[in-house]
């Protein structure tokens, strides 16, 4: 039987807001956020919460006005500077919706700076809805105490994405056909991890990626991982090696 949740919860609720924050800023919440605080969290005028805007760190705020569908916060003080995260992007071939949602949520928790859906020959995902992925990333950031959201790039075909790539960013290519051990391949500096779809990359795609300046094919071990597992395993290994877990 699940444990009865403690009420009221010990930690303050945390919300992402689109208003740039500073001491004394007044923030009008949207109806969804007002409903969450008022009806789900049962907070009213005078209650404290934490807010972040994706750029200026985390702030303590207090509910100044509360109506049925609206709420205004008064921002009081900075509680945490924006955290530094490794400059690592995750480029992934989208999979089915549930797994892609999961991948975006977990990659946000793990600290990816940018998420890039890359369409490959064998990508079977229908349409990638950016707004949905952004909403998932926001919710994950609220929960995991991130203060800076990952950027979510427009989906693009692999060939075009490769053409436009910044050659100074190491491209760790998770190649199911084999590559260096991830721990041996790691080097400091801006990085991008690329993982493929359930059906894998075609031989032409593998050759094109491997031929790219700064591409480092890596192996993620002796087993073939599902696409979303591979993306998160590679990101996890990168974060550990880059010192994010210090
Ligand atoms: N259908 C492919 C096959 O049978 O070889 C497997 C594709 S795998 C499900 C999806 C993606 O995860 C791959 O394209 C690759 O990027 C990554 N991946 C999975 N296992 C891997 C491993 N052991 N090493 C490197 N990459 C791996």
């Amino acid at each position: 039987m699940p444990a009865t949740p403690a009420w009221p919860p010990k930690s303050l609720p945390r919300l992402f807001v689109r208003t740039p924050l500073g001491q004394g800023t007044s923030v009008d919440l949207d109806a969804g956020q007002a409903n969450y605080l008022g009806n789900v969290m049962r907070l009213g005028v005078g209650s404290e919460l934490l807010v972040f805007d994706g750029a200026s760190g985390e702030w303590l705020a207090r509910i100044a006005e509360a109506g049925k569908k609206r709420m205004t916060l008064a921002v009081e003080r900075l509680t945490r500077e924006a955290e530094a995260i490794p400059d690592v992007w995750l480029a992934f071939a989208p999979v089915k919706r549930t797994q892609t949602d999961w991948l975006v949520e977990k990659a946000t928790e793990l600290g990816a700076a940018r998420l890039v859906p890359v369409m490959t020959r064998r990508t079977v995902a229908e349409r990638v809805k950016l707004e949905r992925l952004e909403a998932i990333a926001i919710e994950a950031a609220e929960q995991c105490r991130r203060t800076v959201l990952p950027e979510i790039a427009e989906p693009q075909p692999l060939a075009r994405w490769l053409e436009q790539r910044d050659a100074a960013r190491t491209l760790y290519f998770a190649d199911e056909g084999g590559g260096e051990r991830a721990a041996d391949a790691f080097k400091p500096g801006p990085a991008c991890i690329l993982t493929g779809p359930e059906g894998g990359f075609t031989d032409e795609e593998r050759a094109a990626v491997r031929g790219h300046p700064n591409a480092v094919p890596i192996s993620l071990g002796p087993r073939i991982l599902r696409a979303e597992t591979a993306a998160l395993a590679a990101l996890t290994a990168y974060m550990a090696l880059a010192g994010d877990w210090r």
Side-chain angles (χ1 to χ4, degrees):
M1 201 169 77
T4 310
W7 196 269
K10 281 201 187 96
S11 56
L12 294 178
R14 243 182 130 250
L15 280 188
F16 169 74
V17 294
R18 298 194 186 273
T19 310
L21 298 174
Q23 200 160 354
T25 307
S26 166
V27 181
D28 291 326
L29 297 185
D30 63 36
Q33 291 176 318
N35 177 55
Y36 169 71
L37 292 182
N39 298 323
V40 180
M41 301 303 293
R42 301 181 227 159
L43 300 182
V45 170
S47 297
E48 292 181 333
L49 67 151
L50 298 169
V51 287
F52 64 105
D53 59 7
S56 67
E58 179 187 84
W59 298 79
L60 181 74
R62 200 174 290 278
I63 299 175
E65 287 171 39
K68 260 196 167 163
K69 287 192 173 163
R70 47 174 295 280
M71 206 173 252
T72 305
L73 309 178
V75 177
E76 296 192 347
R77 66 181 163 82
L78 188 70
T79 50
R80 223 154 36 93
E81 299 284 350
E83 77 277 15
I85 49 170
D87 185 4
V88 58
W89 300 357
L90 178 62
F92 62 96
V95 275
K96 288 188 186 138
R97 197 171 81 173
T98 314
Q99 284 91 334
T100 300
D101 290 355
W102 189 75
L103 189 160
V104 168
E105 179 182 284
K106 301 305 165 205
T108 304
E109 289 173 38
L110 286 166
R114 190 164 207 253
L115 300 174
V116 190
V118 172
M119 312 309 268
T120 66
R121 271 288 299 282
R122 295 180 182 147
T123 299
V124 288
E126 325 80 62
R127 236 161 56 78
V128 175
K129 292 191 178 133
L130 280 195
E131 268 180 28
R132 178 186 171 81
L133 299 188
E134 275 160 8
I136 290 169
I138 288 173
E139 209 171 298
E142 288 173 340
Q143 174 271 321
C144 75
R145 304 189 70 221
R146 256 183 98 145
T147 65
V148 181
L149 298 176
E151 274 177 53
I152 302 193
E154 288 280 346
Q156 41 196 312
L158 177 67
R160 192 180 335 133
W161 180 72
L162 280 175
E163 269 167 27
Q164 294 166 356
R165 276 206 62 255
D166 162 14
R169 185 173 288 276
T170 304
L171 175 58
Y172 294 105
F173 167 42
D175 188 349
E176 63 268 33
E180 268 190 78
R181 281 169 26 151
D184 297 337
F186 175 78
K187 56 180 175 177
C192 180
I193 295 163
L194 172 65
T195 57
E198 273 313 309
F201 290 100
T202 63
D203 289 343
E204 299 79 58
E205 287 172 334
R206 289 182 60 226
V209 179
R210 279 175 167 261
H212 204 270
N214 245 344
V216 180
I218 55 166
S219 162
L220 301 174
R223 289 165 293 276
I224 295 294
L225 307 177
R226 296 199 69 145
E228 66 277 18
T229 316
L232 296 172
L235 181 59
T236 304
Y238 180 90
M239 287 304 192
L241 294 165
D244 189 57
W245 296 2
R246 260 191 308 266

